[in-house]
């Protein structure tokens, strides 16, 4: 009887640990990186700002596409991403390019702005390890 109860307890504890804690992070490719082709750090630009995304070591695919070592771009404007465990927000500071775009035009107000690229997986969650660019600063005239 003790053996049966012990086995039942182990089974219950094992199943309790298998709860759905949400999507897990997708592995990134070895040596994967994203970067800005345009504009360059320190550039003085006019709005709308042409922004071109570069990528190495991974493929760009539309959001929702599950493919090893792939994802889609997100541009962070005047903000940092603090939580890499959840989907990247979609708002004025977090622009999603879920169609697989590799360039865009951004309407930015005059002044200094920071930009950063973060690659998201099919669920908009940053990869593990995170594939993100250096933060660049531009000035809109």
């Amino acid at each position: 009887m003790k053996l049966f109860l012990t086995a039942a307890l182990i089974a219950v504890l094992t199943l309790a640990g298998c709860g759905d804690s949400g999507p897990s992070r997708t592995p990134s490719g070895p040596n994967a990186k994203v970067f800005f082709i345009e504009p360059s750090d320190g550039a003085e630009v006019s709005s709308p700002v042409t922004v071109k995304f570069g990528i190495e070591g991974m493929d760009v695919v539309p959001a929702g596409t599950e493919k090893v070592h792939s994802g889609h771009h997100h541009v962070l404007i005047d903000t940092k991403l603090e939580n890499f465990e959840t989907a990247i927000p979609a708002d004025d500071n977090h622009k999603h390019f879920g169609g697989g775009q590799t360039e865009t035009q951004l309407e930015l107000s005059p002044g200094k702005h920071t930009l950063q690229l973060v690659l998201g997986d099919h669920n908009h969650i940053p990869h593990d390890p995170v594939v993100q660019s250096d933060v660049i600063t531009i000035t809109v005239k």
Side-chain angles (χ1 to χ4, degrees):
M1 183 67 156
K2 279 186 177 182
L3 183 58
F4 173 77
L5 289 175
T6 302
L9 180 60
I10 290 171
V12 168
L13 292 174
T14 300
L15 288 174
C18 293
D20 185 12
S21 61
S24 61
R25 291 177 58 200
T26 304
S28 56
N31 303 312
K33 65 181 181 175
V34 292
F35 51 91
F36 289 100
I37 297 170
E38 185 180 318
S40 59
D41 188 32
E44 291 188 3
V45 296
S46 300
S47 192
V49 180
T50 299
V51 182
K52 296 182 181 179
F53 320 140
I55 187 168
E56 292 178 6
M58 291 187 69
D59 294 323
V60 175
V61 297
T65 304
E66 288 189 62
K67 180 182 172 196
V68 174
H69 299 153
S70 70
H72 62 281
H73 294 288
H74 300 80
V75 175
L76 279 54
I77 304 167
D78 299 327
T79 192
K80 291 177 15 179
L81 196 60
E82 307 259 339
N83 184 350
F84 299 111
E85 303 298 323
T86 61
I88 298 168
D91 56 34
D92 288 343
N93 299 99
H94 304 84
K95 300 291 186 182
H96 287 238
F97 297 93
Q101 302 95 315
T102 57
E103 68 179 81
T104 192
Q105 298 275 314
L106 295 177
E107 291 285 345
L108 297 174
S109 61
K112 286 192 184 255
H113 295 279
T114 61
L115 303 175
Q116 184 176 32
L117 282 172
V118 179
L119 201 67
D121 69 8
H122 58 283
N123 289 318
H124 305 281
I125 298 173
H127 293 78
D128 186 15
V130 177
V131 182
Q132 63 185 352
S133 72
D134 292 334
V135 174
I136 66 168
T137 301
I138 61 171
T139 304
V140 177
K141 295 292 182 180

